[in-house]
Each structure stands twice: as C-alpha cells, then as structure tokens.
Amino acid sequence: MENIKNKNLKIIGYYSGYIVNATAILMLIPVITSILFREWSVVIDFIISAAMSLSMGLIFILYGREIKKCSDIEWKHGLVIAAFSWIVLTILCAVPYVLSGYCNSLIDGCFDVMSGFTTTGLVLIQDLDHAPMGLNMWRHIITFLGGQGMVVFAISFMIKKTVGAYKIYVGEGKDIELVPNIKGTAKIIWFISFIYLIIGTIALWINGIVIGLKPVSSFFHALFIYMSAWSTGGFSPMSQGMGYYHSFSYENIAIIFFIIGSLNFGLHYKIWLGDRKEIFKNIETKSFFISVTTISFFCILYLVNKSVYNDAASIFRRVVFNVLSAHTTTGFANVYAKQFTVQWGEFGIICMTIAMLIGGSACSTAGGFKGLRVGIVLKGIIAYVKKLMISERSVKIFKFHYMKEQVLTDSVVKSSCLIILCYIALFVIGTCLGSFYGYPLAESAFEAASVTGNVGLTIGVTTLAMPYPIKVYYIVAMYLGRLEFISVFALIGFVIEGVKKLCLKK
C-alpha cells in the first residue's frame, strides 16, 4: 500500500515538474522585453521568479525520476496532475507581480495570474496604465498560454513519451483528438494559434498605426490585444480596455479574432482540411448563433426602447460588441463598468449574465457551460418529448452532429446536465457571497457569472477594496470553471484519501 502511494506521488510530481518547467522557461520572454525597454528592476524580478520556478519543477522531476513511462499514468493521475500543476503555477507565476510592487499581496497576484490562466481577464493589478512593458508581456503570455493550456504546451515541447499523456490533456478541460497521437494534436493546436497570431498581430498593428499609435507602441498593443482576443482572455495593456482605442475598426478586428478563438479547435482543423460545411452542421455553431442572436435582439430592443442607443453604429459598437464579448467569454468592454448598472438596467444585466454563463465552444479557449452542452441538453429535451409522443413499440434513435454524426444517448445528456448544474451551483454561491457582503443582487450575479464563465467583464465589484473572502472565492471559481470541475474533484478526492490513510496509520 505504501509503495502504491509513493508511486502515485512520484507520477504526479514527475509530470507536474515538466509542466512547471515548461511554463517557467517562458519567463525568458518578459526578461528579453524588459532588457529592450531597459526595465532593469523587472529583469531581476523575472530572473528570481524563473529561478524559483525552475528549481521547484526540477525538485518535482527528481522526486519522481524513477517513473519515466507515460504508460504508468492512470486516469486519476492525469486529472490530479493537471489540477495540481495549475495551483503550483498560479503561485509561482504570481511572484513577478509581487516583486514588481504592482500588487498589494500574494493573494492579489494569484488572483491576476489565475484570471490570466483561466482566460478570465479580471484584474487587481495597480496602476495598469504605467505598468512595465515586461510585466504587461507576462500578463498576456499567461492568458495566451492559458487559452491553449499549460498541459498542451508541455506535451508539445517538453514531454517526450506521450503514451498516457491524453489523460493529463483531458484533465485540463479538453478532450478533442485532431490526430491519433496526442502530441500531434497539441502541436496542431499551437500551429493554428501561431498562424492566427501572425495574422492578428499584423492586422491590429497596421490598424493601430492608422488610428494614431506610434509604430513600436502599436506593435505591442496589437500583440497584447490579439493574445487576449484569441484566448478570449480580456486582458488589456490599458485600464480602459477597448475603450482606450476609440476605434470602430480596431473593435471589429478584435471581434473577428475573439469569435474565431471561441470556436472548437476541432472545428478549426476541419475547416483547414477543407470541410467548410462543418460550420453549418456543427451543433455548437448552431447553438452559438441562436443564443447570441436571441440575446442581442432582446438587449437591442430593451436599450432602444429606453433611448440609451438610437443609431445603428452605437447599437453595434455598444450592444452587439459587448454581448459577443460576454458570450464568447472574452471580457473586452468598450463601456465603463457602471454603465451596465446605470444605462443597461437590470434586464440588460440579466441578458449579459445569461450570455456569460452559456459561453463559447468546448475544446476552445472559451469558458462557460459551452454551446455543445447547451445544444445537447436542448436536443435531449426535444428527444424526450418526441419519445412520449410516439408508440412504446417504436424505437427511434436521436442524433446530433459534432464533428460527425453521434448518437444522443441518455448518458451524454446526463453528463452535460451534471456539468451545467455544477456551473449553476458555482454561480449561485458567488451571487450569494456578493450579496452577503452588501453588493446589490444584480451586480453580484453579474460578477459571479463573469468569474464562473471565465469572462472578465466587471460591473464594479472586482476592485482592490473587495473583501478577501470574495477574492479567494473568485480565484477558486475561475479555477473550477476553467478545468470544468472533474480534475479538481479528483485532486480533492486524492488529498482526502491520503489524509484518511495517514489518520488510520496513526
């Protein structure tokens, strides 16, 4: 029994160490950026942070060095490795924030890092408009990495033997296999992301120069905004977010990339292989189109009736943009936080809350329930009604299209319902917690939906002054929402089991 326990810990430590080291190496990018901008104190901050992270990763690897075959990995190991490595990385990656002096505490630093890794986009960093370029680079690398996944990155570039790596990959909330080899799947995901990185950065860079930004400044703004848009992350180099640019064209380019970023990587791969009909057949794209159109329609109808927006340009820029940003869980906003309360009213807040909870596609950079699950549940309800209407002797098989024709079984519907119920429970607890600390119910619900769905839009609750219990809960909610519960539950179960064995031993 003791040998099995040690083996489990060694497997978890060994592969967690690789994931930590893979992410720590990326700290070289903000180091180089800081050197270019002569931010010498930031260079030291990141060198210290990288040394700490690499040391921790090396300790984990050395501890589990006897375990060198991915074939030893069971499902419980894969899930626990993903959940555990996220916790370790959140703490280690917050070190540069704390050393820089732009965060009040380690909790605030962990909040920003978890917000980045989960592609949420809520911030507690101080004086963002004057933050060093190196720190800003790190913020956006974190959100870009989080969109694709730290496990995906480690599998692509660090872990060599990948016989059982799929089990770690699934633990990060993804289960799509683009090719039979999981390492190949990870590389395709990164290839797709980097192709769009080049296209998106160039488009935003040129547009930035056109609207008046200096070439160097325009390049970094373009790179940062693209990283956030593609990862549906919501981070911005300026505290005003998209409102800083005051540009219709800049917003339109961002819309294109955050919609594309919210789509399933499997759908991207299908289109790249020439199967463009998949866009129109896929249950997720259908679900997304129906829900975003319905929510936008009611928002526009309500706000036009209130005379908040009266012309087509304002309606598109202020309503459609923000609904799309909420629904894709991007979190870019071009209105001030309090405008949601003052101008949009409770009905507008409800619409945005629903959009944030539904979210984007499964196996994408987006959060929320996911269009796949919403579509499956709706089809399940329709199928159930149809079964009641037909003869008991008749046997009818119901299907849905997701990359291919699939049978709509009871187990598929139940699993989708279970995850959606977990999200709803997380949302309800967050709403109640906000209300407990004196925030209005509508504002508490809006902010809870934002952290639960990994969105990043704020109505003013997320500030440095908010109570620490809310900060901690939001960190946990972002974490649970991004990893879609199962791997975190596996980690909790693993810890509880270990504690029980220790107690029985004593």
mmCIF file of all heavy atoms in Angstrom, residues 208-256:
data_model
loop_
_atom_site.group_PDB
_atom_site.id
_atom_site.type_symbol
_atom_site.label_atom_id
_atom_site.label_comp_id
_atom_site.label_asym_id
_atom_site.label_seq_id
_atom_site.Cartn_x
_atom_site.Cartn_y
_atom_site.Cartn_z
ATOM 1 N N GLY A 208 -3.534 50.007 -35.721
ATOM 2 C CA GLY A 208 -3.096 50.880 -34.631
ATOM 3 C C GLY A 208 -2.342 52.087 -35.140
ATOM 4 O O GLY A 208 -2.527 53.215 -34.645
ATOM 5 N N ILE A 209 -1.476 51.871 -36.136
ATOM 6 C CA ILE A 209 -0.732 52.993 -36.730
ATOM 7 C C ILE A 209 -1.691 53.957 -37.417
ATOM 8 O O ILE A 209 -1.563 55.178 -37.309
ATOM 9 C CB ILE A 209 0.321 52.463 -37.724
ATOM 10 C CG1 ILE A 209 1.405 51.678 -36.979
ATOM 11 C CG2 ILE A 209 0.962 53.617 -38.511
ATOM 12 C CD1 ILE A 209 2.366 50.940 -37.884
ATOM 13 N N VAL A 210 -2.687 53.400 -38.107
ATOM 14 C CA VAL A 210 -3.686 54.226 -38.809
ATOM 15 C C VAL A 210 -4.456 55.113 -37.834
ATOM 16 O O VAL A 210 -4.753 56.282 -38.138
ATOM 17 C CB VAL A 210 -4.659 53.328 -39.615
ATOM 18 C CG1 VAL A 210 -5.832 54.147 -40.153
ATOM 19 C CG2 VAL A 210 -3.929 52.639 -40.757
ATOM 20 N N ILE A 211 -4.776 54.586 -36.648
ATOM 21 C CA ILE A 211 -5.564 55.379 -35.695
ATOM 22 C C ILE A 211 -4.699 56.283 -34.819
ATOM 23 O O ILE A 211 -5.203 56.959 -33.918
ATOM 24 C CB ILE A 211 -6.445 54.478 -34.802
ATOM 25 C CG1 ILE A 211 -5.588 53.568 -33.909
ATOM 26 C CG2 ILE A 211 -7.434 53.693 -35.640
ATOM 27 C CD1 ILE A 211 -6.391 52.729 -32.920
ATOM 28 N N GLY A 212 -3.373 56.277 -35.061
ATOM 29 C CA GLY A 212 -2.531 57.270 -34.386
ATOM 30 C C GLY A 212 -1.520 56.768 -33.391
ATOM 31 O O GLY A 212 -0.801 57.571 -32.784
ATOM 32 N N LEU A 213 -1.413 55.444 -33.199
ATOM 33 C CA LEU A 213 -0.400 54.922 -32.278
ATOM 34 C C LEU A 213 0.967 54.914 -32.962
ATOM 35 O O LEU A 213 1.070 54.714 -34.177
ATOM 36 C CB LEU A 213 -0.752 53.493 -31.846
ATOM 37 C CG LEU A 213 -2.035 53.302 -31.016
ATOM 38 C CD1 LEU A 213 -2.265 51.817 -30.760
ATOM 39 C CD2 LEU A 213 -1.967 54.064 -29.709
ATOM 40 N N LYS A 214 2.019 55.123 -32.186
ATOM 41 C CA LYS A 214 3.374 55.056 -32.740
ATOM 42 C C LYS A 214 3.699 53.607 -33.101
ATOM 43 O O LYS A 214 3.203 52.678 -32.454
ATOM 44 C CB LYS A 214 4.377 55.603 -31.730
ATOM 45 C CG LYS A 214 4.209 57.104 -31.465
ATOM 46 C CD LYS A 214 5.229 57.605 -30.448
ATOM 47 C CE LYS A 214 5.051 59.100 -30.206
ATOM 48 N NZ LYS A 214 6.020 59.612 -29.193
ATOM 49 N N PRO A 215 4.546 53.376 -34.120
ATOM 50 C CA PRO A 215 4.792 52.014 -34.618
ATOM 51 C C PRO A 215 5.159 50.992 -33.547
ATOM 52 O O PRO A 215 4.588 49.899 -33.512
ATOM 53 C CB PRO A 215 5.937 52.214 -35.614
ATOM 54 C CG PRO A 215 5.729 53.599 -36.126
ATOM 55 C CD PRO A 215 5.218 54.394 -34.955
ATOM 56 N N VAL A 216 6.117 51.328 -32.663
ATOM 57 C CA VAL A 216 6.529 50.370 -31.635
ATOM 58 C C VAL A 216 5.387 50.116 -30.649
ATOM 59 O O VAL A 216 5.067 48.974 -30.306
ATOM 60 C CB VAL A 216 7.788 50.858 -30.887
ATOM 61 C CG1 VAL A 216 8.114 49.920 -29.726
ATOM 62 C CG2 VAL A 216 8.973 50.952 -31.838
ATOM 63 N N SER A 217 4.768 51.194 -30.200
ATOM 64 C CA SER A 217 3.633 51.082 -29.274
ATOM 65 C C SER A 217 2.494 50.307 -29.922
ATOM 66 O O SER A 217 1.873 49.442 -29.289
ATOM 67 C CB SER A 217 3.154 52.469 -28.850
ATOM 68 O OG SER A 217 2.026 52.374 -28.008
ATOM 69 N N SER A 218 2.240 50.592 -31.190
ATOM 70 C CA SER A 218 1.161 49.915 -31.915
ATOM 71 C C SER A 218 1.417 48.417 -32.010
ATOM 72 O O SER A 218 0.489 47.608 -31.881
ATOM 73 C CB SER A 218 1.021 50.504 -33.320
ATOM 74 O OG SER A 218 -0.008 49.843 -34.030
ATOM 75 N N PHE A 219 2.682 48.031 -32.201
ATOM 76 C CA PHE A 219 3.014 46.606 -32.310
ATOM 77 C C PHE A 219 2.707 45.874 -31.010
ATOM 78 O O PHE A 219 2.082 44.803 -31.025
ATOM 79 C CB PHE A 219 4.498 46.427 -32.658
ATOM 80 C CG PHE A 219 4.947 44.993 -32.584
ATOM 81 C CD1 PHE A 219 4.630 44.102 -33.607
ATOM 82 C CD2 PHE A 219 5.653 44.517 -31.476
ATOM 83 C CE1 PHE A 219 5.019 42.761 -33.528
ATOM 84 C CE2 PHE A 219 6.046 43.182 -31.397
ATOM 85 C CZ PHE A 219 5.733 42.311 -32.427
ATOM 86 N N PHE A 220 3.136 46.438 -29.892
ATOM 87 C CA PHE A 220 2.913 45.750 -28.613
ATOM 88 C C PHE A 220 1.439 45.749 -28.226
ATOM 89 O O PHE A 220 0.929 44.758 -27.693
ATOM 90 C CB PHE A 220 3.783 46.373 -27.520
ATOM 91 C CG PHE A 220 5.214 45.926 -27.576
ATOM 92 C CD1 PHE A 220 6.190 46.716 -28.156
ATOM 93 C CD2 PHE A 220 5.587 44.685 -27.093
ATOM 94 C CE1 PHE A 220 7.508 46.292 -28.230
ATOM 95 C CE2 PHE A 220 6.902 44.239 -27.163
ATOM 96 C CZ PHE A 220 7.866 45.049 -27.735
ATOM 97 N N HIS A 221 0.737 46.838 -28.516
ATOM 98 C CA HIS A 221 -0.713 46.850 -28.269
ATOM 99 C C HIS A 221 -1.390 45.791 -29.123
ATOM 100 O O HIS A 221 -2.287 45.075 -28.656
ATOM 101 C CB HIS A 221 -1.294 48.232 -28.580
ATOM 102 C CG HIS A 221 -1.146 49.211 -27.468
ATOM 103 N ND1 HIS A 221 -2.162 49.476 -26.570
ATOM 104 C CD2 HIS A 221 -0.106 49.992 -27.085
ATOM 105 C CE1 HIS A 221 -1.751 50.382 -25.688
ATOM 106 N NE2 HIS A 221 -0.508 50.708 -25.987
ATOM 107 N N ALA A 222 -0.970 45.677 -30.383
ATOM 108 C CA ALA A 222 -1.552 44.687 -31.289
ATOM 109 C C ALA A 222 -1.299 43.270 -30.792
ATOM 110 O O ALA A 222 -2.205 42.425 -30.778
ATOM 111 C CB ALA A 222 -0.965 44.868 -32.686
ATOM 112 N N LEU A 223 -0.061 43.002 -30.364
ATOM 113 C CA LEU A 223 0.300 41.681 -29.859
ATOM 114 C C LEU A 223 -0.514 41.326 -28.619
ATOM 115 O O LEU A 223 -1.075 40.226 -28.512
ATOM 116 C CB LEU A 223 1.791 41.651 -29.528
ATOM 117 C CG LEU A 223 2.358 40.333 -28.968
ATOM 118 C CD1 LEU A 223 2.219 39.212 -29.992
ATOM 119 C CD2 LEU A 223 3.806 40.507 -28.552
ATOM 120 N N PHE A 224 -0.623 42.281 -27.696
ATOM 121 C CA PHE A 224 -1.342 42.034 -26.443
ATOM 122 C C PHE A 224 -2.841 41.833 -26.680
ATOM 123 O O PHE A 224 -3.447 40.912 -26.123
ATOM 124 C CB PHE A 224 -1.115 43.187 -25.471
ATOM 125 C CG PHE A 224 0.316 43.332 -25.011
ATOM 126 C CD1 PHE A 224 0.781 44.543 -24.506
ATOM 127 C CD2 PHE A 224 1.207 42.275 -25.095
ATOM 128 C CE1 PHE A 224 2.100 44.689 -24.083
ATOM 129 C CE2 PHE A 224 2.525 42.402 -24.679
ATOM 130 C CZ PHE A 224 2.969 43.617 -24.173
ATOM 131 N N ILE A 225 -3.425 42.705 -27.498
ATOM 132 C CA ILE A 225 -4.867 42.604 -27.759
ATOM 133 C C ILE A 225 -5.182 41.318 -28.521
ATOM 134 O O ILE A 225 -6.184 40.650 -28.234
ATOM 135 C CB ILE A 225 -5.387 43.838 -28.529
ATOM 136 C CG1 ILE A 225 -5.316 45.088 -27.643
ATOM 137 C CG2 ILE A 225 -6.820 43.623 -29.021
ATOM 138 C CD1 ILE A 225 -6.169 45.034 -26.389
ATOM 139 N N TYR A 226 -4.315 40.953 -29.472
ATOM 140 C CA TYR A 226 -4.551 39.695 -30.171
ATOM 141 C C TYR A 226 -4.513 38.521 -29.203
ATOM 142 O O TYR A 226 -5.377 37.630 -29.239
ATOM 143 C CB TYR A 226 -3.544 39.440 -31.298
ATOM 144 C CG TYR A 226 -3.625 38.002 -31.738
ATOM 145 C CD1 TYR A 226 -4.648 37.586 -32.572
ATOM 146 C CD2 TYR A 226 -2.762 37.033 -31.212
ATOM 147 C CE1 TYR A 226 -4.797 36.246 -32.904
ATOM 148 C CE2 TYR A 226 -2.903 35.689 -31.529
ATOM 149 C CZ TYR A 226 -3.927 35.296 -32.380
ATOM 150 O OH TYR A 226 -4.088 33.976 -32.674
ATOM 151 N N MET A 227 -3.471 38.473 -28.350
ATOM 152 C CA MET A 227 -3.345 37.367 -27.398
ATOM 153 C C MET A 227 -4.599 37.230 -26.547
ATOM 154 O O MET A 227 -5.084 36.122 -26.295
ATOM 155 C CB MET A 227 -2.128 37.583 -26.497
ATOM 156 C CG MET A 227 -0.792 37.298 -27.158
ATOM 157 S SD MET A 227 0.565 37.590 -25.990
ATOM 158 C CE MET A 227 1.957 36.880 -26.894
ATOM 159 N N SER A 228 -5.126 38.353 -26.113
ATOM 160 C CA SER A 228 -6.332 38.331 -25.281
ATOM 161 C C SER A 228 -7.565 37.954 -26.089
ATOM 162 O O SER A 228 -8.433 37.211 -25.614
ATOM 163 C CB SER A 228 -6.539 39.695 -24.621
ATOM 164 O OG SER A 228 -5.589 39.916 -23.615
ATOM 165 N N ALA A 229 -7.658 38.473 -27.322
ATOM 166 C CA ALA A 229 -8.824 38.183 -28.156
ATOM 167 C C ALA A 229 -8.872 36.704 -28.529
ATOM 168 O O ALA A 229 -9.896 36.042 -28.351
ATOM 169 C CB ALA A 229 -8.795 39.053 -29.413
ATOM 170 N N TRP A 230 -7.750 36.189 -29.015
ATOM 171 C CA TRP A 230 -7.702 34.791 -29.433
ATOM 172 C C TRP A 230 -7.972 33.858 -28.257
ATOM 173 O O TRP A 230 -8.670 32.852 -28.389
ATOM 174 C CB TRP A 230 -6.345 34.474 -30.056
ATOM 175 C CG TRP A 230 -6.146 33.023 -30.327
ATOM 176 C CD1 TRP A 230 -5.384 32.146 -29.622
ATOM 177 C CD2 TRP A 230 -6.750 32.249 -31.378
ATOM 178 N NE1 TRP A 230 -5.458 30.887 -30.173
ATOM 179 C CE2 TRP A 230 -6.291 30.917 -31.250
ATOM 180 C CE3 TRP A 230 -7.632 32.555 -32.419
ATOM 181 C CZ2 TRP A 230 -6.686 29.903 -32.110
ATOM 182 C CZ3 TRP A 230 -8.020 31.545 -33.280
ATOM 183 C CH2 TRP A 230 -7.558 30.244 -33.127
ATOM 184 N N SER A 231 -7.420 34.183 -27.107
ATOM 185 C CA SER A 231 -7.598 33.342 -25.921
ATOM 186 C C SER A 231 -8.884 33.657 -25.173
ATOM 187 O O SER A 231 -9.127 33.101 -24.109
ATOM 188 C CB SER A 231 -6.399 33.519 -24.973
ATOM 189 O OG SER A 231 -5.214 33.128 -25.601
ATOM 190 N N THR A 232 -9.706 34.526 -25.740
ATOM 191 C CA THR A 232 -10.926 35.021 -25.086
ATOM 192 C C THR A 232 -10.606 35.390 -23.641
ATOM 193 O O THR A 232 -11.323 35.015 -22.710
ATOM 194 C CB THR A 232 -12.079 33.994 -25.153
ATOM 195 O OG1 THR A 232 -11.717 32.793 -24.469
ATOM 196 C CG2 THR A 232 -12.429 33.667 -26.592
ATOM 197 N N GLY A 233 -9.484 36.147 -23.485
ATOM 198 C CA GLY A 233 -8.954 36.418 -22.152
ATOM 199 C C GLY A 233 -9.322 37.753 -21.555
ATOM 200 O O GLY A 233 -9.430 37.887 -20.346
ATOM 201 N N GLY A 234 -9.495 38.791 -22.362
ATOM 202 C CA GLY A 234 -9.962 40.068 -21.828
ATOM 203 C C GLY A 234 -8.916 40.980 -21.245
ATOM 204 O O GLY A 234 -9.224 42.124 -20.906
ATOM 205 N N PHE A 235 -7.671 40.506 -21.064
ATOM 206 C CA PHE A 235 -6.620 41.401 -20.577
ATOM 207 C C PHE A 235 -6.342 42.483 -21.612
ATOM 208 O O PHE A 235 -6.465 42.252 -22.815
ATOM 209 C CB PHE A 235 -5.323 40.631 -20.314
ATOM 210 C CG PHE A 235 -5.238 40.001 -18.954
ATOM 211 C CD1 PHE A 235 -4.235 39.097 -18.656
ATOM 212 C CD2 PHE A 235 -6.154 40.310 -17.961
ATOM 213 C CE1 PHE A 235 -4.132 38.496 -17.411
ATOM 214 C CE2 PHE A 235 -6.072 39.727 -16.698
ATOM 215 C CZ PHE A 235 -5.062 38.813 -16.432
ATOM 216 N N SER A 236 -5.950 43.646 -21.121
ATOM 217 C CA SER A 236 -5.605 44.765 -21.989
ATOM 218 C C SER A 236 -4.431 45.497 -21.359
ATOM 219 O O SER A 236 -4.285 45.491 -20.131
ATOM 220 C CB SER A 236 -6.801 45.712 -22.125
ATOM 221 O OG SER A 236 -6.428 46.905 -22.784
ATOM 222 N N PRO A 237 -3.556 46.116 -22.171
ATOM 223 C CA PRO A 237 -2.430 46.855 -21.591
ATOM 224 C C PRO A 237 -2.840 48.158 -20.910
ATOM 225 O O PRO A 237 -2.039 48.755 -20.203
ATOM 226 C CB PRO A 237 -1.522 47.129 -22.801
ATOM 227 C CG PRO A 237 -2.438 47.081 -23.974
ATOM 228 C CD PRO A 237 -3.481 46.072 -23.636
ATOM 229 N N MET A 238 -4.091 48.578 -21.111
ATOM 230 C CA MET A 238 -4.576 49.831 -20.526
ATOM 231 C C MET A 238 -5.828 49.573 -19.689
ATOM 232 O O MET A 238 -6.626 48.689 -20.000
ATOM 233 C CB MET A 238 -4.889 50.863 -21.619
ATOM 234 C CG MET A 238 -3.755 51.108 -22.612
ATOM 235 S SD MET A 238 -2.211 51.643 -21.858
ATOM 236 C CE MET A 238 -2.654 53.275 -21.285
ATOM 237 N N SER A 239 -5.990 50.369 -18.650
ATOM 238 C CA SER A 239 -7.110 50.173 -17.727
ATOM 239 C C SER A 239 -8.471 50.420 -18.377
ATOM 240 O O SER A 239 -9.487 49.900 -17.916
ATOM 241 C CB SER A 239 -6.952 51.079 -16.504
ATOM 242 O OG SER A 239 -6.907 52.436 -16.893
ATOM 243 N N GLN A 240 -8.507 51.197 -19.459
ATOM 244 C CA GLN A 240 -9.764 51.480 -20.144
ATOM 245 C C GLN A 240 -10.202 50.343 -21.058
ATOM 246 O O GLN A 240 -11.293 50.392 -21.624
ATOM 247 C CB GLN A 240 -9.634 52.757 -20.971
ATOM 248 C CG GLN A 240 -9.516 54.032 -20.158
ATOM 249 C CD GLN A 240 -9.282 55.232 -21.058
ATOM 250 O OE1 GLN A 240 -8.152 55.611 -21.359
ATOM 251 N NE2 GLN A 240 -10.365 55.834 -21.514
ATOM 252 N N GLY A 241 -9.360 49.341 -21.208
ATOM 253 C CA GLY A 241 -9.700 48.229 -22.085
ATOM 254 C C GLY A 241 -9.822 48.678 -23.529
ATOM 255 O O GLY A 241 -9.044 49.492 -24.012
ATOM 256 N N MET A 242 -10.809 48.148 -24.231
ATOM 257 C CA MET A 242 -11.005 48.505 -25.639
ATOM 258 C C MET A 242 -11.411 49.961 -25.803
ATOM 259 O O MET A 242 -11.240 50.549 -26.867
ATOM 260 C CB MET A 242 -12.060 47.589 -26.265
ATOM 261 C CG MET A 242 -11.605 46.153 -26.447
ATOM 262 S SD MET A 242 -10.125 45.952 -27.466
ATOM 263 C CE MET A 242 -10.738 46.457 -29.061
ATOM 264 N N GLY A 243 -11.951 50.557 -24.741
ATOM 265 C CA GLY A 243 -12.334 51.969 -24.800
ATOM 266 C C GLY A 243 -11.148 52.896 -25.007
ATOM 267 O O GLY A 243 -11.317 54.041 -25.445
ATOM 268 N N TYR A 244 -9.941 52.422 -24.711
ATOM 269 C CA TYR A 244 -8.743 53.237 -24.863
ATOM 270 C C TYR A 244 -8.505 53.624 -26.323
ATOM 271 O O TYR A 244 -8.021 54.720 -26.614
ATOM 272 C CB TYR A 244 -7.532 52.466 -24.334
ATOM 273 C CG TYR A 244 -6.196 53.125 -24.602
ATOM 274 C CD1 TYR A 244 -5.745 54.183 -23.809
ATOM 275 C CD2 TYR A 244 -5.386 52.699 -25.662
ATOM 276 C CE1 TYR A 244 -4.511 54.788 -24.062
ATOM 277 C CE2 TYR A 244 -4.157 53.293 -25.916
ATOM 278 C CZ TYR A 244 -3.734 54.340 -25.111
ATOM 279 O OH TYR A 244 -2.522 54.938 -25.366
ATOM 280 N N TYR A 245 -8.884 52.755 -27.259
ATOM 281 C CA TYR A 245 -8.553 52.966 -28.667
ATOM 282 C C TYR A 245 -9.563 53.849 -29.403
ATOM 283 O O TYR A 245 -9.229 54.431 -30.440
ATOM 284 C CB TYR A 245 -8.414 51.609 -29.380
ATOM 285 C CG TYR A 245 -7.395 50.733 -28.692
ATOM 286 C CD1 TYR A 245 -7.792 49.716 -27.817
ATOM 287 C CD2 TYR A 245 -6.039 50.938 -28.857
ATOM 288 C CE1 TYR A 245 -6.861 48.922 -27.149
ATOM 289 C CE2 TYR A 245 -5.096 50.155 -28.197
ATOM 290 C CZ TYR A 245 -5.513 49.161 -27.343
ATOM 291 O OH TYR A 245 -4.595 48.394 -26.677
ATOM 292 N N HIS A 246 -10.783 53.937 -28.898
ATOM 293 C CA HIS A 246 -11.823 54.770 -29.529
ATOM 294 C C HIS A 246 -11.886 54.526 -31.030
ATOM 295 O O HIS A 246 -11.948 55.461 -31.830
ATOM 296 C CB HIS A 246 -11.562 56.260 -29.258
ATOM 297 C CG HIS A 246 -11.587 56.628 -27.815
ATOM 298 N ND1 HIS A 246 -12.739 56.655 -27.073
ATOM 299 C CD2 HIS A 246 -10.580 56.966 -26.968
ATOM 300 C CE1 HIS A 246 -12.455 57.000 -25.824
ATOM 301 N NE2 HIS A 246 -11.154 57.185 -25.738
ATOM 302 N N SER A 247 -11.850 53.257 -31.417
ATOM 303 C CA SER A 247 -11.784 52.928 -32.843
ATOM 304 C C SER A 247 -12.749 51.809 -33.195
ATOM 305 O O SER A 247 -12.657 50.704 -32.654
ATOM 306 C CB SER A 247 -10.357 52.522 -33.226
ATOM 307 O OG SER A 247 -10.316 51.998 -34.534
ATOM 308 N N PHE A 248 -13.651 52.101 -34.118
ATOM 309 C CA PHE A 248 -14.608 51.119 -34.611
ATOM 310 C C PHE A 248 -13.886 49.995 -35.351
ATOM 311 O O PHE A 248 -14.208 48.812 -35.186
ATOM 312 C CB PHE A 248 -15.612 51.817 -35.532
ATOM 313 C CG PHE A 248 -16.767 50.957 -35.953
ATOM 314 C CD1 PHE A 248 -17.374 50.086 -35.062
ATOM 315 C CD2 PHE A 248 -17.269 51.030 -37.251
ATOM 316 C CE1 PHE A 248 -18.452 49.296 -35.446
ATOM 317 C CE2 PHE A 248 -18.342 50.251 -37.646
ATOM 318 C CZ PHE A 248 -18.933 49.384 -36.745
ATOM 319 N N SER A 249 -12.879 50.343 -36.140
ATOM 320 C CA SER A 249 -12.142 49.340 -36.917
ATOM 321 C C SER A 249 -11.341 48.417 -36.000
ATOM 322 O O SER A 249 -11.274 47.206 -36.226
ATOM 323 C CB SER A 249 -11.213 50.024 -37.928
ATOM 324 O OG SER A 249 -10.315 50.905 -37.271
ATOM 325 N N TYR A 250 -10.725 48.970 -34.964
ATOM 326 C CA TYR A 250 -9.944 48.170 -34.013
ATOM 327 C C TYR A 250 -10.851 47.169 -33.305
ATOM 328 O O TYR A 250 -10.496 45.999 -33.121
ATOM 329 C CB TYR A 250 -9.283 49.105 -32.996
ATOM 330 C CG TYR A 250 -7.946 48.630 -32.476
ATOM 331 C CD1 TYR A 250 -6.775 48.856 -33.196
ATOM 332 C CD2 TYR A 250 -7.836 47.980 -31.254
ATOM 333 C CE1 TYR A 250 -5.537 48.443 -32.723
ATOM 334 C CE2 TYR A 250 -6.606 47.559 -30.770
ATOM 335 C CZ TYR A 250 -5.460 47.791 -31.503
ATOM 336 O OH TYR A 250 -4.235 47.374 -31.035
ATOM 337 N N GLU A 251 -12.035 47.615 -32.928
ATOM 338 C CA GLU A 251 -13.003 46.737 -32.264
ATOM 339 C C GLU A 251 -13.472 45.627 -33.196
ATOM 340 O O GLU A 251 -13.640 44.476 -32.769
ATOM 341 C CB GLU A 251 -14.197 47.557 -31.778
ATOM 342 C CG GLU A 251 -13.863 48.506 -30.637
ATOM 343 C CD GLU A 251 -14.941 49.543 -30.393
ATOM 344 O OE1 GLU A 251 -15.993 49.494 -31.073
ATOM 345 O OE2 GLU A 251 -14.731 50.415 -29.523
ATOM 346 N N ASN A 252 -13.668 45.956 -34.481
ATOM 347 C CA ASN A 252 -14.132 44.952 -35.440
ATOM 348 C C ASN A 252 -13.101 43.856 -35.664
ATOM 349 O O ASN A 252 -13.449 42.670 -35.787
ATOM 350 C CB ASN A 252 -14.484 45.615 -36.782
ATOM 351 C CG ASN A 252 -15.821 46.330 -36.733
ATOM 352 O OD1 ASN A 252 -16.673 46.014 -35.906
ATOM 353 N ND2 ASN A 252 -16.018 47.293 -37.604
ATOM 354 N N ILE A 253 -11.818 44.247 -35.714
ATOM 355 C CA ILE A 253 -10.757 43.245 -35.866
ATOM 356 C C ILE A 253 -10.727 42.343 -34.632
ATOM 357 O O ILE A 253 -10.593 41.121 -34.733
ATOM 358 C CB ILE A 253 -9.387 43.918 -36.079
ATOM 359 C CG1 ILE A 253 -9.364 44.660 -37.420
ATOM 360 C CG2 ILE A 253 -8.263 42.883 -36.054
ATOM 361 C CD1 ILE A 253 -8.136 45.519 -37.635
ATOM 362 N N ALA A 254 -10.871 42.955 -33.450
ATOM 363 C CA ALA A 254 -10.896 42.171 -32.204
ATOM 364 C C ALA A 254 -12.072 41.196 -32.193
ATOM 365 O O ALA A 254 -11.915 40.030 -31.787
ATOM 366 C CB ALA A 254 -10.977 43.108 -30.999
ATOM 367 N N ILE A 255 -13.239 41.640 -32.680
ATOM 368 C CA ILE A 255 -14.428 40.771 -32.737
ATOM 369 C C ILE A 255 -14.140 39.520 -33.557
ATOM 370 O O ILE A 255 -14.472 38.396 -33.155
ATOM 371 C CB ILE A 255 -15.638 41.524 -33.339
ATOM 372 C CG1 ILE A 255 -16.226 42.500 -32.327
ATOM 373 C CG2 ILE A 255 -16.724 40.535 -33.771
ATOM 374 C CD1 ILE A 255 -17.339 43.361 -32.891
ATOM 375 N N ILE A 256 -13.519 39.715 -34.703
ATOM 376 C CA ILE A 256 -13.225 38.582 -35.589
ATOM 377 C C ILE A 256 -12.401 37.528 -34.857
ATOM 378 O O ILE A 256 -12.728 36.330 -34.885
ATOM 379 C CB ILE A 256 -12.466 39.058 -36.851
ATOM 380 C CG1 ILE A 256 -13.392 39.915 -37.722
ATOM 381 C CG2 ILE A 256 -11.929 37.859 -37.647
ATOM 382 C CD1 ILE A 256 -12.671 40.655 -38.835
#
